[in-house]
């Protein structure tokens, strides 16, 4: 049996202030290196480039010691980038910059260029494989526990974890599996939550999923003999010393079990030589696997925190400015600063002091690049520009209402839409003229046989609910929309008053192409303990059938293509503290929905509002319920109410079939 470790070092950890760094190096990082003083014990260490820079500034002897141990083949360095970044939520170019900056620092301080990468926060998309391959990595480490969820509805899966992963470009890369259960079990032992015998009982029963390889530990080094004081429930430090307990356990296993301590580079050749089928590691049900239990999901870095949507939006604005200017794009300093702003640690339990510094950095960068980004907790105004010089009623479009004034029908040469005036201008049917059937609309109460689906499933609505107050907010009210026509579009405007504030909604139908635009504004809302989802798109089964694919960019430069398969709901709460299961990590501002005949684009501007789409797929004997919805905020343990709710706009249009 071969055991390997990958201790993760990150001095940018969200709840740690800079004045704690010296203490962490002394209490956590030096004892880590001391493990290697024991005969036959090897370890691997993963650290961001920024962490190594900081350690070198505080205690360069630690860097010298690490370099010496690497030369002696007692330690292997695992790469991760300049900062710990959630790659599926970050544009390809920024991911590329992050890894190149990290590799440069590894070579500068340690004279080594690692060949194996650790997936930051185990937040994975298939596109990451192409990114790390391009910069020189030939293998990666990823958590197996959550990847298994991707295979739940795969009838071809034989129950064995693959040794190779497949990228969007069809590149096959060896993967070394880590495991949440076993690293958490070591933490429990080190902290004294379980005793020596209990740990050994678990270890002896552990079944390796990969050629007798056991991932002894693959997580944070800062959780031993140190506590950041983030929670009142944090355990006290074990009086015997937690690093001492780990060291004694490793010595015991070395002497009393048939094991060999190995490094990833010693293991990878055997994995790479296996003639096994490479697999895509994500699915429509599980598009963004991350580490540990389900309460940790991709939304914690995108839709909660102190204001994830806002800081992600600001990062996109800076990124777009850089991409439009070759001089800015060539600036290594600006790349480093943007990577720093896109680091995962600013998006979870970040301290108020460090958050304020990050906001200040955004302000400084904006001044530097002479942009018009404003430091305020809202995005650029996304109101539809309307030229009301034309009369409201002309020959270029038609509209009418039914006898009961319930359904308003609008049509142009490219679009036919019927809208529900009693339910907030939700879309009853949306048809593009080139197709025989409407693509989106409402599936009414009674459409499905199962009582679990016994509701009206509208298109275009807004829903919000706070778990603690239990108050449910929607825009399903009787409306009398204002209709304005100009040369480019017909726009309907409604306003709703709710307990959380006003909802202003605009629905525009293009006169020039097959496209509609939905715009949502929340002018006096404040971020609080609630989720907020908008723009529900209900796919109509007569148009789509049961073979639907989605495709999108997710941190790379080629689209990921996933078939909608299985029974799942990304919006389903995990508990009373976590409001959703996952989301689709789209970085290109577009998701294509396709069947064998047609493709429709749903697109938005992340630099105006970095919302994330979620997917629902349910089935009973009467058919399928497929829905796409955008989230502007979710609830979890990182959410801190502060700031305002941004406006959000997206478009639905006919696309070329890929």
């Amino acid at each position: 049996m071969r055991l390997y470790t990958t201790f993760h070092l990150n001095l940018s950890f969200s709840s740690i202030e800079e004045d704690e760094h010296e203490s962490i190096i002394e209490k956590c990082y030096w004892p880590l290196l001391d493990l290697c003083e024991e005969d036959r014990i090897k370890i691997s260490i993963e650290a961001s480039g920024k962490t190594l820079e900081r350690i070198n500034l505080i205690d360069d002897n630690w860097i010298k010691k690490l370099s010496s141990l690497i030369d002696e083949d007692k330690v292997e360095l695992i790469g991760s980038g300049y900062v710990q970044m959630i790659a599926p939520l970050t544009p390809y170019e920024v991911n590329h910059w992050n890894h190149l900056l990290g590799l440069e620092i590894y070579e500068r301080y340690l004279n080594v260029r690692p060949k194996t990468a650790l997936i930051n926060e185990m937040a994975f998309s298939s596109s990451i494989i192409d990114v790390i391959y391009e910069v020189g990595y030939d293998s990666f480490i990823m958590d197996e526990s959550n990847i298994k969820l991707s295979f739940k509805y795969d009838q071809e899966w034989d129950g064995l974890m693959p040794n190779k992963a497949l990228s969007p470009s069809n590149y096959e890369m060896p993967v070394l599996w880590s495991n949440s259960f076993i690293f958490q079990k070591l933490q429990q032992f080190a902290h004294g939550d379980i005793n020596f015998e209990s740990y050994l009982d678990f270890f002896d029963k552990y079944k390796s999923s990969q050629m007798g390889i056991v991932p002894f530990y693959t997580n944070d080094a800062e959780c031993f003999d140190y506590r950041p004081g983030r929670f009142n429930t944090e355990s006290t430090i074990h009086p015997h010393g937690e690093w001492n307990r780990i060291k004694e356990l490793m010595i015991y296993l070395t002497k009393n079990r048939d094991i060999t301590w190995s490094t990833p580079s010693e293991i990878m050749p055997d994995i790479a030589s296996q003639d096994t089928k490479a697999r895509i590691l994500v699915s429509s049900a599980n598009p963004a696997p991350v580490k540990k239990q389900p309460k940790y999901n991709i939304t914690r870095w995108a839709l909660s925190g102190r204001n994830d949507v806002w800081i992600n939006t600001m990062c996109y604005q800076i990124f777009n400015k850089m991409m439009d200017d070759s001089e800015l794009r060539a600036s290594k300093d600006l790349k480093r600063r943007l990577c720093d702003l896109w680091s995962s640690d600013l998006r979870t339990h970040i301290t108020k002091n460090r958050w304020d510094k990050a906001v200040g950095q955004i302000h400084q960068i904006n001044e530097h690049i002479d942009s018009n980004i404003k430091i305020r907790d809202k995005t650029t105004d996304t109101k539809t520009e309307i030229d009301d010089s034309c009369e409201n009623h002309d020959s270029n479009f038609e509209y009418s209402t039914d006898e009961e004034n319930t359904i308003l029908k609008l049509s142009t040469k490219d679009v036919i839409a019927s809208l529900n005036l009693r339910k907030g201008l939700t879309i009853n049917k949306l048809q593009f003229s080139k197709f025989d059937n409407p693509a989106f609309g409402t599936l009414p109460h009674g459409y499905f046989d199962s009582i679990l689906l016994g509701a009206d499933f509208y298109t275009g609505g807004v829903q919000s609910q706070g778990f603690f107050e239990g108050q449910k907010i929607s825009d399903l009210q009787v409306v009398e929309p204002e209709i304005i026509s100009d040369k480019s579009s017909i726009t309907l405007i409604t306003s709703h008053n709710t307990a959380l504030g006003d909802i202003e909604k605009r629905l525009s139908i293009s006169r020039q192409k097959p496209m509609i635009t939905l715009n949502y504004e929340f002018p006096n809302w404040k971020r609080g303990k609630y989720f907020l989802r908008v723009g529900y798109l209900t796919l109509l089964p007569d148009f789509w059938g049961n073979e639907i694919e989605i495709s999108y960019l997710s941190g790379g430069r080629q689209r990921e293509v996933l078939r909608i398969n299985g029974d799942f709901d990304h919006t389903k709460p995990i508990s009373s503290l976590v409001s959703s299961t996952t989301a689709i990590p789209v970085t290109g501002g577009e998701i294509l929905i396709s069947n064998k005949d047609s493709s429709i684009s749903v697109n938005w501007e992340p630099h105006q509002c970095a919302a994330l789409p979620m997917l629902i797929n349910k089935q009973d004997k009467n058919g399928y319920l497929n829905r796409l919805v955008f989230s502007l905020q979710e609830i979890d343990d990182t959410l801190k109410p502060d700031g305002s709710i941004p406006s959000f706009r997206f478009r639905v249009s006919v696309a070329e079939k890929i």
Side-chain angles (χ1 to χ4, degrees), residues 147-190:
I147 291 295
K148 288 179 180 178
L149 300 177
S150 299
F151 303 144
K152 181 177 180 180
Y153 300 109
D154 187 345
Q155 295 180 352
E156 296 182 1
W157 186 41
D158 57 8
L160 301 176
M161 294 302 292
N163 290 316
K164 297 174 184 175
L166 192 65
S167 78
S169 69
N170 289 320
Y171 178 73
E172 299 180 4
M173 181 173 280
V175 54
L176 179 59
W177 295 114
S178 67
N179 184 282
S180 292
F181 290 109
I182 195 166
F183 86 65
Q184 289 175 332
K185 194 63 70 173
L186 182 67
Q187 290 174 344
Q188 292 170 6
F189 166 73

Side-chain angles (χ1 to χ4, degrees), residues 249-533:
L249 174 62
M250 294 176 76
I251 292 171
Y252 178 88
L253 293 174
T254 303
K255 293 179 178 179
N256 296 280
R257 295 293 186 273
D258 184 18
I259 66 160
T260 301
W261 295 99
S262 300
T263 60
S265 64
E266 294 172 335
I267 296 170
M268 283 299 181
D270 291 337
I271 294 175
S273 66
Q274 295 296 305
D275 186 20
T276 56
K277 179 182 177 181
R279 300 187 67 93
I280 296 172
L281 302 184
V282 298
S283 67
S284 57
N286 190 34
V290 303
K291 64 181 182 180
K292 300 196 284 192
Q293 283 75 12
K295 67 178 181 179
Y296 297 93
N297 67 64
I298 198 73
T299 65
R300 73 191 283 108
W301 299 286
L303 301 169
S304 54
R306 287 196 180 269
N307 202 336
D308 291 349
V309 169
W310 179 81
I311 194 170
N312 288 340
T313 300
M314 294 299 104
C315 285
Y316 268 109
Q317 289 187 8
I318 295 169
F319 169 71
N320 285 357
K321 183 69 176 180
M322 291 176 66
M323 296 306 292
D324 289 340
D325 187 302
S326 59
E327 185 175 336
L328 293 173
R329 194 165 61 250
S331 169
K332 182 179 290 187
D333 178 65
L334 201 51
K335 291 176 182 177
R336 180 165 39 243
R337 294 171 74 184
L338 181 57
C339 286
D340 205 10
L341 287 173
W342 234 311
S343 68
S344 64
D345 300 290
L346 294 176
R347 287 154 176 79
T348 51
H349 294 286
I350 189 68
T351 64
K352 181 66 163 58
N353 179 52
R354 288 178 59 194
W355 174 259
D356 290 343
K357 286 183 178 179
V359 173
Q361 278 290 311
I362 292 172
H363 181 65
Q364 291 176 12
I365 292 173
N366 287 336
E367 289 183 346
H368 173 69
I369 64 177
D370 194 29
S371 76
N372 293 320
I373 305 171
K374 297 179 180 178
I375 294 299
R376 54 190 176 97
D377 221 1
K378 62 186 291 187
T379 61
T380 305
D381 187 8
T382 59
K383 289 185 178 180
T384 306
E385 294 294 330
I386 296 176
D387 173 10
D388 57 4
S389 60
C390 298
E391 294 184 1
N392 286 354
H393 312 295
D394 58 39
S395 59
N396 292 326
F397 80 97
E398 297 178 357
Y399 83 92
S400 61
T401 58
D402 64 358
E403 292 182 357
E404 297 185 14
N405 203 36
T406 299
I407 301 298
L408 169 65
K409 185 175 181 180
L410 282 166
S411 62
T412 67
K413 63 182 180 64
D414 294 312
V415 180
I416 304 169
S418 58
L419 310 172
N420 194 328
L421 298 174
R422 297 188 61 81
K423 296 296 180 181
L425 211 66
T426 52
I427 298 172
N428 191 50
K429 291 181 181 178
L430 172 63
Q431 181 175 349
F432 296 107
S433 299
K434 69 174 294 184
F435 302 130
D436 294 333
N437 293 307
F440 303 99
T442 297
L443 293 177
H445 173 266
Y447 178 89
F448 294 101
D449 178 71
S450 171
I451 193 62
L452 298 177
L453 300 176
D456 293 297
F457 297 101
Y458 299 105
T459 282
V462 175
Q463 185 178 359
S464 176
Q465 185 170 358
F467 277 8
F468 301 106
E469 298 85 359
Q471 188 175 39
K472 189 172 183 178
I473 302 294
S474 77
D475 63 342
L476 301 180
Q477 304 169 8
V478 176
V479 295
E480 294 183 7
E482 179 183 3
I483 303 176
I484 299 178
S485 172
D486 65 19
K487 295 177 182 179
S488 62
S489 64
I490 305 104
T491 299
L492 291 84
I493 305 170
T494 65
S495 181
H496 311 266
N497 182 260
T498 76
L500 291 176
D502 296 334
I503 302 172
E504 296 178 4
K505 184 161 73 173
R506 293 170 179 246
L507 186 152
S508 297
I509 300 176
S510 173
R511 292 179 179 279
Q512 301 165 347
K513 52 188 171 182
M515 181 180 76
I516 72 161
T517 301
L518 287 162
N519 190 92
Y520 302 86
E521 298 180 24
F522 307 89
N524 48 8
W525 285 47
K526 299 297 181 183
R527 293 178 69 250
K529 291 284 187 178
Y530 56 81
F531 66 75
L532 176 59
R533 300 169 190 151

Side-chain angles (χ1 to χ4, degrees), residues 8 10-31 187 190-191 217 220-231 233-239 241-244 246 351 354:
H8 167 59
N10 179 27
L11 283 177
S12 295
F13 191 79
S14 61
S15 55
I16 297 175
E17 295 285 2
E18 284 191 2
D19 58 9
E20 288 289 299
H21 289 177
E22 185 174 356
S23 176
I24 292 170
I25 294 169
E26 177 187 350
K27 294 178 179 179
C28 304
Y29 295 173
W30 274 111
Q187 290 174 344
H191 295 167
Y217 189 74
D220 301 341
E222 298 86 3
C223 66
F224 303 122
D225 286 335
Y226 176 82
R227 302 290 187 272
R230 186 172 70 195
F231 301 119
T233 55
E234 286 179 347
S235 60
T236 57
I237 294 173
H238 197 284
E242 291 163 357
W243 283 108
N244 288 336
I246 292 171
T351 64
R354 288 178 59 194

Side-chain angles (χ1 to χ4, degrees), residues 41 83 94 170 189 200 207 221 272 476 499 509 514 534 566 573 613 630:
I41 292 179
V83 296
V94 182
N170 289 320
F189 166 73
L200 287 181
K207 302 296 183 184
L476 301 180
I509 300 176
V534 305
F630 288 94

